[in-house]
Amino acid sequence: MPKVAVLDMAGKEVGQIELSEAVFGVEPNSSVMLHMVKNYLANQRQGTQSALTRAEVSGGGRKPWRQKGTGHARQGSTRAPQWTHGGIVFAPKPRDYRYTVNKKVRRLAMKSALSSKVLDSDMIVLDALTMEEYKTKTIVSMLKALGSEKKALIVLPKVDEKVIASARNIPGVKTALANTLNVYDILNADKFIVVKDAVAQIEEVYA
């Protein structure tokens, strides 16, 4: 079983935790993780882009000049794509980019992402994360003590408005609950910071 040090908010080691081999000790599958990242990004797309085709642009009902004898190329409408104010060729229309991924693939991708953070020594387990007041400076100093001054994902066992609000405006820092994790956020973070109680919840779901 992989072991990870348990740290407090000051960055001091207060113990160790044994992680589940079935969740944090699998061999990472890069192709499956890539598949899930692409799925996540596709599902985030709004798909609201829209433009008008030549059939939808107003005007252009009259032939601009006669077919022959003008010296110009023949034209049938001033709303053809080559004209200013003309329609768009193959105009984009609203569409849904979402697609689903097999449940087994999703689980394997999540386990691979979690295991890759353990293998790369980028997973930090916090003994507890409690705040008495809304204070961004507290989160900043904690991240500095943990050696996480770049992108970080903080995983909480339950909603804590003080922690979430305090971390919200720190560039590159994101908070998530143990039951709302996704592969993209895990891989996108340089440091994966998990509260000890959240580790148990993750193992319970994916073991």
Side-chain angles (χ1 to χ4, degrees):
M1 282 189 172
K3 283 187 178 182
V4 175
V6 179
L7 309 179
D8 61 13
M9 291 179 67
K12 295 179 181 177
E13 186 174 334
V14 294
Q16 286 196 330
I17 184 173
E18 281 194 354
L19 302 174
S20 170
E21 186 78 32
V23 180
F24 295 95
V26 304
E27 185 175 343
N29 187 320
S30 57
S31 63
V32 169
M33 288 191 287
L34 174 63
H35 189 45
M36 277 308 301
V37 168
K38 288 169 68 176
N39 172 252
Y40 174 82
L41 294 175
N43 291 351
Q44 299 306 301
R45 295 184 68 172
Q46 288 184 312
T48 55
Q49 74 279 35
S50 184
L52 302 179
T53 64
R54 63 180 294 173
E56 297 166 321
V57 178
S58 63
R62 182 175 66 85
K63 188 174 175 67
W65 50 74
R66 66 179 189 270
Q67 181 81 347
K68 295 178 179 293
T70 64
H72 293 299
R74 55 194 176 189
Q75 300 291 333
S77 169
T78 57
R79 293 299 179 262
Q82 73 271 20
W83 284 73
T84 303
H85 307 302
I88 303 298
V89 182
F90 304 128
K93 293 296 178 184
R95 55 167 288 196
D96 186 8
Y97 288 91
R98 295 182 66 87
Y99 66 95
T100 56
V101 176
N102 184 287
K103 185 178 179 180
K104 287 183 178 179
V105 174
R106 293 201 305 268
R107 289 179 68 89
L108 178 58
M110 179 62 75
K111 291 178 181 181
S112 296
L114 294 169
S115 298
S116 69
K117 288 299 177 185
V118 176
L119 281 173
D120 297 337
S121 300
D122 288 332
M123 179 173 174
I124 299 170
V125 178
L126 272 180
D127 184 39
L129 178 51
T130 54
M131 296 181 64
E132 297 179 359
E133 57 181 335
Y134 293 87
K135 196 92 172 172
T136 299
K137 189 182 286 186
T138 304
I139 299 293
V140 171
S141 60
M142 180 195 78
L143 292 172
K144 190 173 183 179
L146 296 174
S148 175
E149 297 181 34
K150 294 182 180 179
K151 290 191 290 186
L153 176 64
I154 302 172
V155 183
L156 306 171
K158 59 183 179 180
V159 176
D160 188 332
E161 287 296 339
K162 289 178 181 175
V163 174
I164 294 171
S166 298
R168 185 179 295 147
N169 60 346
I170 304 174
V173 176
K174 189 171 183 179
T175 55
L177 298 179
N179 60 353
T180 62
L181 278 177
N182 64 74
V183 174
Y184 175 81
D185 284 340
I186 294 172
L187 296 178
N188 190 44
D190 292 314
K191 292 293 181 182
F192 181 56
I193 303 169
V194 194
V195 179
K196 192 176 179 180
D197 292 343
V199 174
Q201 292 182 12
I202 294 170
E203 290 181 342
E204 185 178 348
V205 173
Y206 293 103

